[in-house]
């Protein structure tokens, strides 16, 4: 196990690596983490200080997770990665460190200051090498392949000769309004317009409303109730199905809404909410988070109507991109959002000396997958 309080002088611009539990951070640390989020967290809110704190608070009861903090000698944070030790990599006994990725986090990886991505990896990975007793690899699931931090890691490994293996890849719907505008086919536009008219005729005037200041707590409670009453609640996969998930959702949304980093919208028919959605929105970046609808109104496709409203809003702004964070097989949103975002899992060798244990383990993994594929 890595000793708490471990510090390793870095080789890049007087940076150091510090390892700590969440509970060990003091007020200065919290301020530095918040400042880092404010300047570097727009393109990955799932790695922000408020999201990471919520995950570690509610999902790490044994306090296994560590924060790997890269900072300069003045305490200025360059980046931070939350990771936990794991004894196995899939079926293989391979002790390693794995970046924390909660089921409610749809993008993995560290939070790193703009322009310091190469420095972050150049300091962190050699520090992990000195902690070889903790394992032979750093596993980083669900990285956005085009993200600046991911590109810097791949480039760093290529330049330094450090072994790195991509162990998974998916593609999910996203929207780039400039490069790939959202243009619905005429039949689909007509169908949605017809559903909207029917909903208004049958249940009263419809309106799309954003959560207002002071309404966050009530909106969160209403969302949890609506989602739990539907199929996710019956399947046990609703946010409210687990107290820790409900607490995380409430903490994250309250923090993000209070700072303008998230938006929450509701579709009303008459005075009744029939669909709700929460998503992150900052500096031209958007990422989906949670959505639900009232199944009594399923015939009107209220979730799709609300999504169309959100898409329409984003398409008329200076959005750089909007990641749906949906499952790759989600046909409905795939049809609405024309572009795709590639998400990859990377495993990087760590440890002093030869990287043959890592290469041997990855070779055994590949052999096993080929064997299964040929069976």
């Amino acid at each position: 196990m890595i000793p708490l309080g471990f510090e390793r002088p870095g080789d890049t611009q007087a940076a150091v690596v510090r390892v700590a539990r969440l509970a060990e951070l003091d007020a200065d640390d919290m301020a530095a983490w918040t400042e880092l989020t404010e300047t570097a967290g727009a393109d990955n809110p799932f790695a922000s200080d408020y999201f990471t704190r919520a995950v570690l608070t509610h999902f790490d009861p044994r306090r296994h997770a560590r924060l790997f903090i890269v900072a300069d000698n003045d305490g200025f944070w360059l980046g931070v990665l939350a990771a936990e030790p794991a004894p196995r990599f899939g079926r293989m006994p391979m002790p390693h460190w794995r970046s924390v990725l909660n089921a409610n986090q749809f993008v993995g990886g560290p939070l790193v200051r703009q322009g310091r991505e190469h420095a972050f990896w150049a300091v962190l990975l050699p520090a992990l090498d000195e902690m070889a007793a903790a394992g032979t690899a750093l596993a980083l699931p669900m990285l956005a392949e085009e993200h600046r931090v991911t590109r810097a890691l791949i480039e760093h490994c290529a330049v330094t000769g450090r072994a790195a293996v991509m162990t998974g890849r998916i593609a999910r719907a996203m929207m780039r309004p400039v490069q790939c505008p959202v243009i619905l086919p005429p039949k689909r536009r007509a169908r949605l317009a017809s559903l909207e008219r029917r909903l208004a005729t049958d249940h009263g005037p419809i309106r799309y409303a954003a959560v207002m200041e002071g309404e966050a707590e009530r909106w969160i409670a209403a969302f949890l109730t609506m989602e739990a009453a539907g199929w996710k609640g019956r399947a046990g996969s609703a946010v409210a199905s687990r107290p820790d998930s409900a607490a995380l959702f409430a903490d994250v949304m309250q923090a993000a809404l209070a700072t303008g980093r998230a938006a929450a919208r509701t579709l009303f028919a008459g005075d009744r909410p029939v669909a709700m959605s929460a998503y992150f929105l900052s500096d031209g970046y958007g990422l989906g988070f949670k959505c639900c609808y009232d199944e009594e109104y399923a015939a009107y496709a209220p979730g799709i109507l609300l999504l169309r409203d959100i898409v329409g809003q984003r398409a008329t702004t200076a959005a750089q991109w909007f990641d749906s964070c949906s499952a790759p097989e989600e046909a409905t949103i795939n049809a609405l959002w024309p572009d795709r975002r590639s998400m990859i899992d990377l495993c990087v060798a760590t440890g002093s000396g030869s990287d043959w244990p890592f290469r041997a383990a990855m070779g055994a993994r590949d052999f096993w997958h080929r064997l299964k594929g040929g069976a």
Side-chain angles (χ1 to χ4, degrees):
M1 180 63 67
I2 294 175
L4 294 175
F6 174 94
E7 290 195 14
R8 179 192 188 276
D11 301 323
T12 305
Q13 299 185 13
V16 298
V17 176
R18 179 161 64 96
V19 182
R21 289 192 179 100
L22 175 64
E24 296 171 329
L25 301 187
D26 60 22
D28 290 339
D29 291 325
M30 291 298 186
W33 200 359
T34 298
E35 186 276 335
L36 179 62
T37 292
E38 291 173 348
T39 57
D43 57 6
N44 187 5
F46 297 105
S48 65
D49 63 328
Y50 57 87
F51 211 122
T52 303
R53 280 200 307 270
V55 169
L56 298 187
T57 298
H58 300 296
F59 285 87
D60 186 28
R62 297 184 178 181
R63 304 296 182 256
H64 285 166
R66 302 288 186 269
L67 293 169
F68 293 80
I69 303 161
V70 178
D72 64 20
N73 289 330
D74 295 323
F76 193 65
W77 285 26
L78 307 184
V80 56
L81 172 69
E84 55 192 354
R88 304 181 66 86
F89 189 88
R91 293 176 176 267
M92 298 181 300
M94 188 183 85
H96 65 286
W97 281 90
R98 183 178 185 84
S99 64
V100 171
L101 187 71
N102 183 265
N104 297 288
Q105 289 173 293
F106 305 121
V107 181
L111 178 68
V112 181
R113 191 173 300 278
Q114 292 271 358
R116 304 307 301 274
E117 300 87 358
H118 288 84
F120 175 82
W121 295 117
V123 174
L124 176 63
L125 293 175
L128 288 173
D129 291 340
E130 295 185 12
M131 308 169 189
T136 59
L138 171 64
L140 297 154
M142 202 58 68
L143 300 177
E145 187 169 12
E146 93 295 342
H147 193 275
R148 56 189 176 83
V149 178
T150 307
R151 292 199 312 268
L153 173 59
I154 294 172
E155 291 167 4
H156 174 83
C157 291
V159 169
T160 61
R162 185 181 293 271
V165 174
M166 184 173 67
T167 58
R169 168 181 268 156
I170 63 169
R172 66 192 185 202
M174 78 173 301
M175 176 178 66
R176 290 187 177 92
V178 177
Q179 296 95 330
C180 195
V182 177
I183 303 175
L184 293 178
K187 286 186 178 180
R188 184 174 291 272
R189 289 203 307 270
R191 172 62 175 164
L192 293 177
S194 174
L195 288 171
E196 196 173 52
R197 288 194 299 270
R198 281 178 48 206
L199 178 61
T201 299
D202 296 345
H203 299 283
I206 67 168
R207 60 188 175 92
Y208 300 90
V211 65
M212 304 301 290
E213 185 176 354
E215 296 178 345
E217 187 173 348
R218 185 171 57 184
W219 188 94
I220 291 167
F223 179 96
L224 294 174
T225 299
M226 180 183 290
E227 187 189 46
W231 68 267
K232 289 185 180 180
R234 294 189 296 274
S237 60
V239 175
S241 297
R242 292 182 48 165
D244 47 10
S245 290
L248 181 146
F249 180 75
D251 287 354
V252 166
M253 287 306 299
Q254 286 173 349
L257 287 170
T259 55
R261 297 190 181 94
R265 290 187 71 78
T266 304
L267 167 58
F268 288 90
D271 293 327
R272 182 166 178 175
V274 297
M276 306 178 77
S277 181
Y279 52 96
F280 297 105
L281 187 63
S282 184
D283 294 346
Y285 301 105
L287 295 97
F289 188 29
K290 299 290 182 180
C291 60
C292 66
Y293 63 90
D294 188 329
E295 291 187 353
E296 290 186 25
Y297 297 79
Y300 306 95
I304 302 303
L305 293 178
L306 181 56
L307 177 61
R308 184 197 59 171
D309 172 71
I310 294 170
V311 169
Q313 283 196 326
R314 300 305 299 149
T316 58
T317 65
Q320 299 188 46
W321 48 255
F322 197 118
D323 181 353
S324 69
C325 296
S326 63
E329 64 275 11
E330 185 61 54
T332 300
I333 195 166
N334 286 343
L336 285 174
W337 298 44
D339 207 349
R340 296 293 178 265
R341 192 181 199 192
S342 177
M343 309 299 296
I344 62 175
D345 302 334
L346 283 181
C347 196
V348 180
T350 59
S352 57
S354 172
D355 61 7
W356 73 263
F358 172 82
R359 294 184 183 276
M362 292 296 102
R365 174 187 175 276
D366 290 344
F367 176 76
W368 170 252
H369 282 287
R370 286 196 300 270
L371 194 64
K372 285 200 305 180

